[in-house]
Amino acid sequence: MVRRNPERRAALVDAAIEVLAKEGARGLTFRAVDIEAAVPPGTASNYFANRDDLLTQAGARVYERLQPDEETIARQRASTPDRETYAVLMREVVGRVSAFRTGYLALLELRLEATRRPKLRAVLTERVRADIEANMAYHEESGLPGDATAVKLLYLAFNWLIVEQLTLPEVLSEEERERLVTAAVERIVQP
Amino acid sequence: MVRRNPERRAALVDAAIEVLAKEGARGLTFRAVDIEAAVPPGTASNYFANRDDLLTQAGARVYERLQPDEETIARQRASTPDRETYAVLMREVVGRVSAFRTGYLALLELRLEATRRPKLRAVLTERVRADIEANMAYHEESGLPGDATAVKLLYLAFNWLIVEQLTLPEVLSEEERERLVTAAVERIVQP
C-alpha cells in the first residue's frame, strides 16, 4: 500500500535530502528518514515502493527546490540582456544553488550512488539533460549574449565552484569565488 | 604497533581507494580493505593509526598516482608553448585523470566525507591548494599563454567535466566533451 498524503510525502522526501547530505547515500534508510522527519517508525516504507524510488524522488525534489521564484524571474526578464546582466544572473544562480547546501550535497551523493545503481543513473541522466536543455532554452529566450557552448562551459565551471565551496570552503575565498564567476562570464560569453 | 613494509602499505592504500570508489566512504573499514587487498584479517589495522589516517593516506595516494610520467613531461616541455599545445595538454590531463576512474571517485567520496570530518577537511584543503598552486607554477614556467585566472577557470570546468563523465556518462557524448575542452581553452586562455 502506497500512501497518498502529498504534504507528508514532501516532508519525507525533504527529510531524505537531509539524511543523504548528513549520512551519505549508504546512510539513507527508511528508518533514518522516519527519524529525521520525526514520524512514527514504518511511515517512510508506506510512502515509497523501495530505496530506488526514495533516491529518485529525493533527486527530483532538489531540482524542484532549486527553481528561481517568480519575483527573481520577473526581475531578470526586466533587465537589459547584456554581459553585465549575465554576470549578475550567474552570481544569483551560484548563490541560490550553494545556499541549498544539503540539497547540492545530496545530489553529489546521488551521483556517486548512481555509479552503483543503473536505474538511478538513468533517472539522473534524464534529469541533468533536462536541466542543461532548460538552461539553453532560457538563454535563447532571454536575448542574453553568447551561444550554447557558453551556457555549457559556465555550467561546468560553476558546478565545480559550488563543489569547492561546499566541500572545502577554505580553498578559494568568497572574494576569489565572486571574481571567478565574473571572469568566467567575461571570457566565455562572447559579445 | 604500526607496521613499516612500504610495499604492503602502498597495496593497502590502493585497496582503500578501490573500496572508497565501490562502497563509498561509509563502506571503508579496515576489514573491507583487508578483503580488497586479499591479506589476512587485522593487517590494515596494523598499518594505520585510525580511520582518519587511512582516509588521508588514500587521498594523498590518488594525487601521487595522477602525476604525469617523465615521458609526458618531457614531451610537453619540447612543444611550442601556444594555445594549440595548451589544448592538447588539457585533453591529456582530462584523459589521464578520468582514466583513473576509481581514484577520482574516491576523491569525491573523500570530499563528501570531509564535510563530516574536520581533520580530513584540513588535510584535503591543503592538498587541493597545493595542487592548484602547482598548476599555476607549471603554467608560469611553461611559457604557455594566458594567466592565473585562466588556470583556475580551466581547473573548475574540467573537474566538473570529469564528474559528468564518471558519474553520468550519457549526459555529454565523448565528442561533445572533447569539443568543450577545446572551446574552454580557446575562450578562457587569452592570447
Side-chain angles (χ1 to χ4, degrees), chain B residues 38-104:
Chain B
V39 295
T43 307
S45 69
N46 278 328
Y47 273 84
F48 305 96
N50 49 49
R51 215 166 147 266
D52 261 334
D53 184 26
L54 180 60
L55 289 165
T56 301
Q57 291 201 35
R61 176 79 171 145
V62 174
Y63 279 100
E64 195 184 303
R65 288 178 56 186
L66 284 175
Q67 295 309 305
D69 58 25
E70 294 293 325
E71 195 205 310
T72 306
I73 294 173
R75 188 159 27 82
Q76 285 166 7
R77 291 226 164 109
S79 312
T80 317
D82 55 19
R83 280 210 297 186
E84 285 64 46
T85 297
Y86 208 141
V88 171
L89 175 61
M90 292 299 101
R91 280 196 292 270
E92 278 181 6
V93 171
V94 170
R96 186 168 68 243
V97 175
S98 55
F100 186 17
R101 173 179 176 79
T102 53
Y104 197 86

Side-chain angles (χ1 to χ4, degrees), chain A residues 22-23 26 109 111 116 121 129 147 149 152 155-156 160 164 167 170 176 179 187-188, chain B residues 22-23 26 109 111 116 121 129 147 149 152 155-156 160 164 167 170 176 187-188:
Chain A
K22 276 192 272 184
E23 309 289 336
R26 280 294 174 112
E109 292 285 354
R111 277 182 176 263
R116 298 159 205 139
R121 189 173 97 182
R129 269 199 195 132
D147 54 6
T149 299
K152 288 183 189 169
Y155 160 84
L156 296 178
W160 193 260
E164 206 66 87
T167 61
E170 291 93 5
E176 176 77 343
R179 200 182 65 73
R187 296 185 186 203
I188 292 170
Chain B
K22 275 192 274 185
E23 310 289 335
R26 280 292 175 112
E109 292 284 354
R111 275 181 177 263
R116 297 157 207 141
R121 189 174 96 182
R129 269 199 196 132
D147 54 6
T149 299
K152 287 183 189 170
Y155 159 84
L156 296 178
W160 193 261
E164 206 67 86
T167 62
E170 291 94 5
E176 176 77 343
R187 296 185 186 203
I188 292 169

Side-chain angles (χ1 to χ4, degrees), chain A residues 20-27 101 104-105 108-109 111-116 120-122 124-126 128-129 132 146-150 152-153 155-161 163-164 166-172 176 179-181 183-184 186-190, chain B residues 20-27 101 104-105 108-109 111-116 120-122 124-126 128-129 132 146-150 152-153 155-161 163-164 166-172 176 179-181 183-184 186-190:
Chain A
L20 276 168
K22 276 192 272 184
E23 309 289 336
R26 280 294 174 112
R101 172 179 175 79
Y104 196 86
L105 293 175
L108 283 177
E109 292 285 354
R111 277 182 176 263
L112 288 167
E113 190 67 5
T115 65
R116 298 159 205 139
L120 180 61
R121 189 173 97 182
L124 283 180
T125 296
E126 282 317 299
V128 172
R129 269 199 195 132
I132 295 176
D147 54 6
T149 299
K152 288 183 189 169
L153 290 175
Y155 160 84
L156 296 178
F158 296 155
N159 264 291
W160 193 260
L161 193 71
V163 171
E164 206 66 87
L166 296 186
T167 61
L168 303 176
E170 291 93 5
V171 168
L172 301 171
E176 176 77 343
R179 200 182 65 73
L180 287 170
V181 172
E186 278 168 3
R187 296 185 186 203
I188 292 170
V189 178
Q190 299 181 328
Chain B
L20 276 168
K22 275 192 274 185
E23 310 289 335
R26 280 292 175 112
R101 173 179 176 79
Y104 197 86
L105 292 175
L108 283 177
E109 292 284 354
R111 275 181 177 263
L112 287 167
E113 190 67 4
T115 65
R116 297 157 207 141
L120 180 61
R121 189 174 96 182
L124 283 180
T125 297
E126 282 318 300
V128 172
R129 269 199 196 132
I132 295 175
D147 54 6
T149 299
K152 287 183 189 170
L153 289 175
Y155 159 84
L156 296 178
F158 296 156
N159 264 291
W160 193 261
L161 192 72
V163 171
E164 206 67 86
L166 297 186
T167 62
L168 304 176
E170 291 94 5
V171 168
L172 301 171
E176 176 77 343
R179 200 182 65 73
L180 286 170
V181 172
E186 279 168 4
R187 296 185 186 203
I188 292 169
V189 177
Q190 298 179 328

